[in-house]
């Protein structure tokens, strides 16, 4: 079946280890666009961060952001899936009780946080959230502003510290470990795979007409939703076991190389 949509995770997948987009990506996306194939970054990052990152071709892309909670077609936001206020408040209160743990919440107009004491948190947050604002009281903020995702930070120990600490949320929120430092909380059932289905409905195509790339546990549903799934050779072992194919690692230009091979596109 002909591929009409390609979705690729960012960190550890499309981006190099030093956080750079691969050379030749923009011309490749132009070529895909001319063939009627859409390209979608699929990330835990903020929508505004992704949109700005793709600069001159931003309006040609579709976006899965906030691990699926926000979906956009160019500058148009297609969906924003807010969490129950009570759940957001409970998560903020839990973060406040944990030493070395910090949070940023995602609202319609950017990210919001209350504690800037940890340099590692501030540095990592700046990578994922271009629009971010410090507020004096995060709990007061989330009581009046809809929130689609809570990103919780614990340097180097997301799986070891955050998963157990937020274990009681598993029945009422979607939990996704999105890297060594971060865990995301969203509405139940929310993930990149559901976002891919929303894109398919928007485009009038079948999931079998999609190709997806990922490297970490929060990409599992994305790969399961696509007809052709690729885990990066440098990725998590559990994801590689679940994927149809293995692509070269992110520092080997794995996404672009695979796309060029599948579509028969010469390197630009």
């Amino acid at each position: 079946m002909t591929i009409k949509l390609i979705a690729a995770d960012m960190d550890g997948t499309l981006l190099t280890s030093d956080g750079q987009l691969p050379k030749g990506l923009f011309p490749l996306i132009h070529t895909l666009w001319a063939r009627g194939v859409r390209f979608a970054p699929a990330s835990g990052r903020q929508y505004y961060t992704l949109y700005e990152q793709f600069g001159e071709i931003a309006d040609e892309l579709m976006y899965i952001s906030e691990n699926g909670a926000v979906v956009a077609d160019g500058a148009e936001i297609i969906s924003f899936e807010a969490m129950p206020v009570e759940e957001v408040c409970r998560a903020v209160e839990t973060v406040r009780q944990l030493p070395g743990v910090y949070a940023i919440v995602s609202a319609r107009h950017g990210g919001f946080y209350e504690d800037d004491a940890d340099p590692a948190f501030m540095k990592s947050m700046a990578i994922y959230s271009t629009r971010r604002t410090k507020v004096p009281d995060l709990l007061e903020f989330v009581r009046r502003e809809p929130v689609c995702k809570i990103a919780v930070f614990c340097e180097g120990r997301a799986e070891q510290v955050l998963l157990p600490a937020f274990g009681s949320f598993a029945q009422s929120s979607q939990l996704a470990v999105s890297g060594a430092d971060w865990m995301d909380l969203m509405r139940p059932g929310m993930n990149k795979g559901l976002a891919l289905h929303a894109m398919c409905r928007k485009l009038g195509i079948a999931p079998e007409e999609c190709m997806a790339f990922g490297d970490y546990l929060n990409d599992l549903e994305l790969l399961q939703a696509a007809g052709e799934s690729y885990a990066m050779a440098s990725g998590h072992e559990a994801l590689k076991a679940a994927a149809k194919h293995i692509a070269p690692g992110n520092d080997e230009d794995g996404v672009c190389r695979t796309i060029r091979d599948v579509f028969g596109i010469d390197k630009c």
Side-chain angles (χ1 to χ4, degrees), residues 14-49:
L14 185 62
L15 299 178
T16 61
S17 293
D18 59 359
Q20 301 300 307
L21 290 168
K23 294 179 180 179
L25 176 64
F26 284 18
L28 177 59
I29 290 175
H30 278 308
T31 300
L32 293 169
W33 173 274
R35 296 189 182 189
V37 181
R38 301 296 300 275
F39 187 87
S43 177
R45 295 181 182 220
Q46 184 186 81
Y47 162 66
Y48 301 105
T49 301

Side-chain angles (χ1 to χ4, degrees), residues 7-17 20 22 42 192 212-216 218-219 222-223 230-232 234-235 239 247-256:
D9 171 59
M10 293 287 284
D11 295 278
T13 301
L14 185 62
L15 299 178
T16 61
S17 293
Q20 301 300 307
K192 294 180 183 180
F213 296 85
D215 78 302
Y216 214 77
N218 64 326
D219 300 318
L222 176 69
L223 268 58
Y230 292 81
M232 310 308 289
S234 50
L239 196 72
N250 60 313
D251 287 325
E252 301 174 73
D253 198 18
V255 172
C256 292

Side-chain angles (χ1 to χ4, degrees), residues 37-248:
V37 181
R38 301 296 300 275
F39 187 87
S43 177
R45 295 181 182 220
Q46 184 186 81
Y47 162 66
Y48 301 105
T49 301
L50 295 174
Y51 189 86
E52 291 182 17
Q53 191 166 11
F54 283 89
E56 66 190 65
I57 64 168
D59 288 329
E60 294 181 14
L61 304 181
M62 301 186 83
Y63 299 90
I64 296 173
S65 60
E66 309 287 14
N67 272 333
V70 178
V71 179
D73 186 350
E76 176 192 2
I77 293 181
I78 299 171
S79 65
F80 178 95
E81 301 289 345
M83 299 174 65
V85 175
E86 298 80 7
E87 188 79 345
V88 179
C89 291
R90 188 162 72 97
V92 171
E93 290 170 341
T94 301
V95 168
R96 287 176 170 179
Q97 296 169 9
L98 297 170
V101 174
Y102 305 89
I104 177 170
V105 302
S106 299
R108 284 187 178 274
H109 303 294
F112 297 83
Y113 64 99
E114 67 179 4
D115 194 336
D116 60 3
D118 186 84
F121 168 62
M122 296 300 292
K123 181 179 179 181
S124 186
M125 177 174 57
I127 296 171
Y128 300 110
S129 298
T130 295
R131 293 190 187 181
R132 59 194 185 278
T133 304
K134 183 180 178 181
V135 295
D137 187 337
L138 193 59
L139 194 58
E140 187 276 332
F141 175 83
V142 302
R143 284 174 176 150
R144 57 181 171 80
E145 290 288 339
V147 168
C148 69
K149 189 188 78 174
I150 306 153
V152 187
F153 176 90
C154 183
E155 187 176 12
R157 296 182 58 80
E159 286 191 61
Q160 296 87 347
V161 172
L162 298 181
L163 272 180
F166 285 85
S168 64
F169 285 78
Q171 301 301 315
S172 52
S173 287
Q174 178 74 30
L175 306 182
V177 177
S178 53
D181 304 327
W182 291 95
M183 186 183 74
D184 297 333
L185 287 79
M186 297 165 291
R187 283 182 58 177
M190 188 56 52
N191 56 62
K192 294 180 183 180
L194 289 179
L196 187 73
H197 284 298
M199 287 184 169
C200 288
R201 290 192 295 271
K202 167 79 171 177
L203 297 174
I205 64 174
E208 291 76 20
E209 296 175 289
C210 299
M211 174 186 291
F213 296 85
D215 78 302
Y216 214 77
L217 299 176
N218 64 326
D219 300 318
L220 178 60
E221 293 88 355
L222 176 69
L223 268 58
Q224 291 173 333
E228 297 297 326
S229 59
Y230 292 81
M232 310 308 289
S234 50
H236 198 290
E237 291 301 320
L239 196 72
K240 288 193 279 188
K244 277 189 178 181
H245 312 283
I246 304 298

